[in-house]
């Protein structure tokens, strides 16, 4: 039973990692608009697949595990802000699915992002998962940046298949610049946190007597480094993935309530998990 649960949880993480990598670079030359509609479809399909696997994992383990915290209210508040006007909209299709090239404003997209938030918060809690997510985002951002540079230099990449995609697969040049700045800030925060964590490890590996004799302020410096490392803002895979979703989804959001900016250290500050034991 435990093996089955781990299998479903691994499937959840796999779907989310695929989503993180593909969403910024995904397009299909099948419709007039190759970006927005197809990115929304990819987001909905992979998020629903990951959510189903997570539910199966909870059923097989006979335990519902959720992370508590006030941040859980933020996606619900955002979803309510879109859901209430949609209920009284004179154009239900535009409100629920989205207008042409504005699918990011629809209830479906916001609901998928809210589900994605909770999936990330409850399945990416370890250092290993954080590193996998960071590497996936780095590869995706590097792919987009490289393709854009090649397009500017005259080497056709996305425009080979869709002439309207002149420079990039994110959307407009403004959305591309916003997303790349957000990604650069995110990886800079991760690098700083990793560097500080390395300094903490080096300080702790030194003999205590040697530190007190030759470095009387080492203990205070280590405590200061620990405090600064713990204060690194949480990076948001949810916002970064949303920022890659075409012209409108490029919001440049870079704080992740579900993924700490530095995996192992900030994970200790996550709220305790509450288990609701189900019947056997």
């Amino acid at each position: 039973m435990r093996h089955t649960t781990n299998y479903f949880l691994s499937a959840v993480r796999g779907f989310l990692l695929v989503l993180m990598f593909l969403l910024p670079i995904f397009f299909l030359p099948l419709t007039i608009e190759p970006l927005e509609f197809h990115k929304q479809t990819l987001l909905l399909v992979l998020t629903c697949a990951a959510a189903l696997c997570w539910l199966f994992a909870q059923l097989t383990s006979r335990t519902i595990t959720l992370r508590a915290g006030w941040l859980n209210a933020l996606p619900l508040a955002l979803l309510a802000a879109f859901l209430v006007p949609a209920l009284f909209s004179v154009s239900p299709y535009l409100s629920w699915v989205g207008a042409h090239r504005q699918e990011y404003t629809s209830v479906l997209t916001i609901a998928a992002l809210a589900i994605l938030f909770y999936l990330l918060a409850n399945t990416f809690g370890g250092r290993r998962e954080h590193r996998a997510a960071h590497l996936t985002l780095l590869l995706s951002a590097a792919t987009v940046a490289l393709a854009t540079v090649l397009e500017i230099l005259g080497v056709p990449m996305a425009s080979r298949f869709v002439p309207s995609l002149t420079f990039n697969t994110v959307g407009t040049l403004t959305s591309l610049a916003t997303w790349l700045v957000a990604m650069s800030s995110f990886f800079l925060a991760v690098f700083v946190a990793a560097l500080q964590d390395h300094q903490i490890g080096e300080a702790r590996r030194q003999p205590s007597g040697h530190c007190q004799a030759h470095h009387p302020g080492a203990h205070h410096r280590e405590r200061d480094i620990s405090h600064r490392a713990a204060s690194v803002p949480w990076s948001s895979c949810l916002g970064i993935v949303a920022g890659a979703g075409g012209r409108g989804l490029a919001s440049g959001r870079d704080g992740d309530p579900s993924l700490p900016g530095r995996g192992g250290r900030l994970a200790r500050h996550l709220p305790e998990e509450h288990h609701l034991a189900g019947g056997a």
Side-chain angles (χ1 to χ4, degrees):
M1 189 67 68
R2 183 175 180 84
H3 177 74
T4 304
T5 301
N6 293 334
Y7 173 80
F8 281 118
L9 291 177
S10 299
V12 173
R13 299 185 184 100
F15 281 126
L16 296 182
L17 290 177
V18 171
L19 180 62
M20 292 178 197
F21 179 79
L22 285 184
L23 194 55
I25 62 179
F26 185 74
F27 70 94
L28 286 178
L30 302 178
T31 58
I32 298 178
E33 170 53 47
L35 290 179
E36 289 283 348
F37 176 76
H38 301 294
K39 287 181 183 292
Q40 182 194 47
T41 303
L42 179 69
L43 175 65
L44 292 174
V45 170
L46 292 183
T47 302
C48 291
L52 289 176
C53 290
W54 183 83
L55 289 176
F56 286 139
Q58 304 306 305
L59 291 176
T60 55
S61 65
R62 299 176 182 241
T63 302
I64 298 179
T65 304
L66 296 173
R67 292 187 182 275
W70 62 270
L71 286 176
N72 289 335
L74 297 181
L76 296 178
L78 180 63
L79 180 60
F82 281 80
L83 181 60
V84 173
L87 295 176
F88 302 96
S89 175
V90 296
S91 300
Y93 180 84
L94 297 181
S95 299
W96 289 92
V97 180
H100 178 60
R101 295 187 178 182
Q102 292 184 341
E103 286 83 357
Y104 63 92
T105 61
S106 65
V107 176
L108 282 178
T109 301
I110 301 302
L113 293 177
I115 295 174
L116 180 61
F117 175 94
Y118 294 114
L119 291 175
L120 289 171
N122 290 279
T123 58
F124 281 75
R127 180 180 300 229
R128 180 178 178 182
E129 290 80 11
H130 294 164
R131 289 176 177 174
H134 297 163
L135 179 61
T136 302
L137 291 172
L138 178 61
L139 292 176
S140 180
T143 302
V144 172
L146 178 61
T148 302
V149 171
L150 292 177
E151 288 280 359
I152 294 176
L153 295 178
V155 180
M157 299 298 291
S159 60
R160 183 191 302 271
F161 307 97
V162 183
S164 60
L165 298 181
T166 308
F167 290 110
N168 65 88
T169 59
V170 174
T172 63
L173 291 178
T174 301
S175 63
L176 173 67
T178 303
W179 184 69
L180 289 179
V181 168
M183 294 298 295
S184 301
S185 302
F186 164 65
F187 289 117
L188 179 61
V190 171
F191 173 77
V192 171
L195 182 62
Q196 291 175 341
D197 188 64
H198 176 72
Q199 294 175 354
I200 294 172
E202 290 294 331
R204 289 177 177 174
R205 280 193 291 267
Q206 293 180 358
S208 58
H210 177 77
C211 291
Q212 294 177 359
H214 300 280
H215 305 283
H219 176 71
H220 299 286
R221 288 197 301 270
E222 179 181 344
R223 183 172 58 184
D224 179 65
I225 292 173
S226 301
H227 174 73
R228 286 184 286 119
S231 64
V232 175
W234 286 14
S235 58
S236 177
C237 283
L238 169 60
I240 292 172
V241 169
R247 295 171 174 81
L249 290 180
S251 59
R253 181 165 173 253
D254 191 39
D256 189 356
S258 59
L259 281 180
R262 177 68 178 99
R265 187 160 303 278
L266 290 185
R268 298 171 187 163
H269 299 276
L270 288 173
E272 295 183 0
E273 296 180 349
H274 295 271
H275 300 275
L276 304 177

